[in-house]
Amino acid sequence: MSLVRRTKTPAIGLLLLALCGAVAAAWSSEAWKAARTPLASETLEAAKRMQMLWVLAELSGDRKFSSTITVQGSYAAPDGLPAEAERWRQEAGIAAPLEPRQERGREVYRGTYNTAPYQGDVLLFQENDGRMYYTVKLSAEAKGGMARSAEEAERLLLKLGQAGIGADWNATVRTVTGASLTDGFAAAEQALAEWGTAVPLDRYEDDRTISVTYETDYMGTGVAMKGRKANLQVAAHEDRERGETRLSFGTPLIAGEY
């Protein structure tokens, strides 16, 4: 099937523009800055890898760009949910209060902090094994918000690492194209190929969705899959009612729905 591609800025130029100036942290006060710690370098490149996802999205789609980056983890919590939720908030350096709620018969703590141009949503709960589980979802609707949310993710990873609280992350950038399902996914695959090797590890397809997980040589660390390391997932979902196809790029896997 032939694929008609729009004229775009060369990929190398896009990446250089994306990486210049956007990755450096720019906190509003000294209290939000965290000293570098001996965490794995792979953990600290969230901003760089999220910029790459954005470039892939720009090469493949043409509107409705958005991003989500999630920091999550669990740790032993001997002091009970209320005390541990407050300790976690202080260790994470989040000023917004966390409020208790009942959800599905479970007590949880939730909070939201809006820091233009992104929003952070926090969820904490404690399992029967005594461990505390947490998720921070950082969402943004534009490139500037994406860059700032990635900086915030790296800040959280550093702060929680300093506190000995386990932390991991994943990120997704989404866009929309007017192309069909097959042409939209073909454009995404061509964008992947421009950067290096992308080995397909797992594929799902139905009449409206194509999703493929890859091991690439340019997206950093990944998760174990079929004896290899999956570090990039790409999905296309056709919305026939709107006449558009949603494209999602995630590392190491897509966070949430696509």
Side-chain angles (χ1 to χ4, degrees):
M1 178 179 294
S2 63
L3 176 64
V4 178
R5 287 181 58 84
R6 296 176 298 278
T7 301
K8 292 182 177 283
T9 303
I12 289 293
L14 276 173
L15 181 60
L16 290 175
L17 287 173
L19 292 179
C20 288
V23 177
W27 311 118
S28 59
S29 68
E30 291 297 318
W32 283 79
K33 293 186 178 180
R36 291 281 169 173
T37 60
L39 296 179
S41 59
E42 295 86 353
T43 301
L44 300 176
E45 59 182 24
K48 178 180 177 182
R49 291 167 68 179
M50 202 164 181
Q51 292 283 359
M52 174 63 83
L53 294 180
W54 193 276
V55 172
L56 293 173
E58 287 184 321
L59 290 171
S60 309
D62 50 38
R63 58 188 184 276
K64 296 183 181 179
F65 292 88
S66 65
S67 62
T68 303
I69 184 164
T70 304
V71 176
Q72 68 269 318
S74 70
Y75 63 97
D79 294 333
L81 180 56
E84 289 293 339
E86 177 60 18
R87 181 173 83 87
W88 182 92
R89 184 187 67 80
Q90 293 181 7
E91 296 288 6
I94 293 174
L98 305 180
E99 301 294 340
R101 298 183 185 179
Q102 288 292 323
E103 296 183 5
R104 301 180 182 179
R106 177 202 301 272
E107 184 179 28
V108 305
Y109 276 74
R110 285 192 178 274
T112 299
Y113 58 104
N114 293 288
T115 303
Y118 69 88
Q119 175 174 303
D121 293 296
V122 183
L123 169 66
L124 290 94
F125 62 92
Q126 193 169 28
E127 279 289 7
N128 294 331
D129 60 7
R131 295 185 67 82
M132 180 77 78
Y133 292 80
Y134 68 88
T135 300
V136 183
K137 178 181 176 183
L138 305 164
S139 55
E141 298 296 328
K143 181 181 284 189
M146 178 275 298
R148 289 293 305 277
S149 65
E151 293 168 4
E152 169 67 356
E154 290 197 339
R155 187 195 70 81
L156 285 170
L157 290 166
L158 285 166
K159 292 284 287 185
L160 296 171
Q162 289 173 334
I165 296 174
D168 201 355
W169 67 277
N170 56 22
T172 301
V173 174
R174 297 177 176 85
T175 185
V176 169
T177 176
S180 67
L181 174 66
T182 53
D183 284 358
F185 192 81
E189 283 200 307
Q190 184 169 336
L192 266 61
E194 291 184 19
W195 293 106
T197 302
V199 179
L201 303 181
D202 186 71
R203 183 182 182 95
Y204 170 82
E205 185 170 353
D206 59 33
D207 64 334
R208 290 198 178 196
T209 302
I210 301 173
S211 174
V212 180
T213 304
Y214 302 87
E215 180 184 65
T216 74
D217 58 2
Y218 52 82
M219 284 303 294
T221 57
V223 297
M225 180 178 289
K226 298 183 178 179
R228 306 189 71 148
K229 292 291 185 181
N231 59 8
L232 178 63
Q233 183 181 3
V234 180
H237 180 76
E238 189 174 35
D239 187 335
R240 294 171 184 167
E241 290 73 20
R242 297 186 177 183
E244 61 187 28
T245 299
R246 295 194 301 271
L247 299 173
S248 302
F249 300 82
T251 184
L253 299 173
I254 292 172
E257 298 180 352
Y258 48 79

